Amino acid sequence: MALISASRRLRRTPFSDGVEAAGVKGYTVYNHMLLPTVFASVQEDYRHLKDHVQVWDVACERQIEVRGPDAARLMQMLTPRDLRGMLAGQCYYLPIVDETGGMLNDPVAVKLSEDRYWISIADSDLLFWVKGIAYGYRLDVLVDEPDVSPLGVQGPKADDLMARVFGEAVRKVKFFRFGHFDFQGRDMVIARSGYSKQGGFEIYVEGGDIGMPLWNALFEAGRDLGVRAGCPNLIERIEGGLLSYGNDMTRDNTPHEAGLGRFCSTQVAIGCVGRDALLRVAKEGPVKQIRPIAIHGDAVAPCDRSWPVVADGKTVGQVTSAAWSPDFGTNVAIGMVKMTHWDAGTEVVVTTPDGPRRATVQENFWI
Ligand code: THG
């Protein structure tokens, strides 16, 4: 592929200098910001992530801050997930839907206090929707994008690395919870979360000026742990079934089609925009849904457009993410498959750019 030209619109991050010094080889654009995709190679990065510890520049997971007396009311307007039990100190993975029940984003919400949240967004301009709702309903709330940049620390040695920089107490942070920790006199929100299934943390770095000092401290502390710069890994996230908004689901899909029905309690999500539409589709159930798919044969090409899933000469779905998995010895893929063909064990054909491939719908993701 040709290069993508740098400009002010394609935002750098507080960690970009470190990413470049570490020899980044590829980027994607996410929320109008640079997101590294490869350092050594996607397969080498994958092996290292599963065996060691990596530091990830995921500043592109931008925050929408919602603050004020109506913050909780606005949050519940955005999602069919039941937020009544959400406590300060918790993180929730949220489907966000429009008035038709179409997915607008699938962020992680961080409840900082009763009247203050961060919405850590996937790749869509959700800020405009949230500002529009706040304005249209005359809510007493401030909505903006603060100078907060998540830094991921992912992999089996993440606890050891984090304990060296932030102290032993960081090990006690539970999954999808966060605590406050000090770094050089600055308060940092640190959650046990991240876009991998290898375990780890996300540090919400407030203020771009402290980005490189923190980056450098993590690399110095982790030298003997073999710490490397890394990034969300295509192979590992498909194995783990972590969805990518814009790839695996879009505004054309309901949360139920995206397999996120377990995060919806639409009946009790009073005030949720799109609630009526979702109650209708939840009653009937989806007619197509996200499935793990094993594509047989050797490594497939990069999946940069949807690949038809065919059975008996008819299109019954599409593959939206795919990669060769060294650990499972097959191409792992995520697709959306019609009800008639979504049962585990169903044999289908995936039309890749290099020709048709035999494939099998799987019962579960690989990890
Ligand atoms: N962390 C933070 N912000 C993010 C992401 C992240 N914003 C963009 C993107 N990732 C949003 N998408 C996801 C997708 C999956 C998960 C988190 C964000 C995830 N899912 C777990 C799973 O499916 O196993 C856990 C879900 C749960 O049980 O609550 O972690 O990664 N800050």
Side-chain angles (χ1 to χ4, degrees), residues 91 154 158-159 169-179 190-194 199-202:
C91 308
Q154 297 286 305
D159 277 68
V170 81
R171 296 181 190 272
K172 296 204 181 74
V173 176
K174 294 198 174 87
F175 186 64
F176 267 55
R177 303 252 173 178
F178 69 82
I190 300 183
R192 190 180 289 277
S193 59
F201 300 86
E202 289 179 303

Side-chain angles (χ1 to χ4, degrees), residues 45 47 55 68 74 85 87 95 117 126 131 153 162 189 204 222 226 256 264 267 276 281 285 294 310 341:
D45 294 353
R47 187 77 275 138
V55 176
L74 174 54
L87 305 170
Y117 297 78
L126 191 69
K131 284 180 88 68
V153 178
M162 289 293 284
V189 166
Y204 291 82
H256 304 280
C264 299
Q267 198 66 247
D276 295 346
V281 300
V310 178
H341 290 79

Side-chain angles (χ1 to χ4, degrees), residues 30 61 93 106 108 120-122 176 194-195 197 202 204 242:
Y30 196 100
E61 296 169 355
Y93 181 42
D106 68 328
V108 174
S120 185
I121 62 170
F176 267 55
Y195 200 63
K197 288 286 196 181
E202 289 179 303
Y204 291 82
L242 296 174

Side-chain angles (χ1 to χ4, degrees), residues 30-31 58 60-63 81 91-93 105-108 110 120-123 150 175-176 193-197 202 204 240-245 249 262-263:
Y30 196 100
N31 287 324
V58 283
C60 67
E61 296 169 355
R62 301 313 294 164
Q63 308 306 302
R81 185 161 176 182
C91 308
Y92 270 22
Y93 181 42
N105 206 289
D106 68 328
V108 174
V110 179
S120 185
I121 62 170
D123 187 25
F175 186 64
F176 267 55
S193 59
Y195 200 63
S196 91
K197 288 286 196 181
E202 289 179 303
Y204 291 82
L242 296 174
L243 304 183
S244 169
Y245 184 78
M249 74 289 200
R262 66 185 185 283
F263 297 108

Side-chain angles (χ1 to χ4, degrees), residues 310-322:
V310 178
D312 312 317
K314 289 194 193 71
T315 297
V316 298
Q318 57 178 357
V319 161
T320 50
S321 298

